[in-house]
Amino acid sequence: KNQLNGSNINSAYNYKTGQKIKIQSGPFLFKKGIINKISYNKITITLESINLNLVLNKSSVVAA
């Protein structure tokens, strides 16, 4: 892991747009979604179950 601007970046996070993920922290814990957009250390996902878009740190999600 590298530290940059206080955020942990793990090179193992090779997410792709359209990939299904599961949130592993916060109020939407264990909800599943689909990746819409990827930036350096953030991803935008859609939670299909409640039709909601979220922007999360990559460290907050795992592949589903």
Side-chain angles (χ1 to χ4, degrees):
K1 291 183 179 180
N2 298 322
Q3 281 262 330
L4 184 65
N5 298 330
S7 299
N8 282 329
I9 307 298
N10 186 336
S11 61
Y13 297 130
N14 292 318
Y15 296 118
K16 296 181 174 76
T17 302
Q19 181 177 350
K20 292 186 179 191
I21 55 86
K22 183 166 59 175
I23 299 172
Q24 61 179 9
S25 66
F28 295 101
L29 183 65
F30 304 128
K31 293 278 189 204
K32 291 183 180 177
I34 297 177
I35 297 175
N36 288 333
K37 183 179 173 185
I38 303 168
S39 63
Y40 186 65
N41 66 339
K42 304 266 187 199
I43 60 172
T44 303
I45 68 163
T46 299
L47 295 180
E48 296 173 311
S49 59
I50 54 176
N51 198 25
L52 179 70
N53 288 333
L54 295 174
V55 178
L56 302 169
N57 286 317
K58 286 182 180 177
S59 61
S60 298
V61 301
V62 292

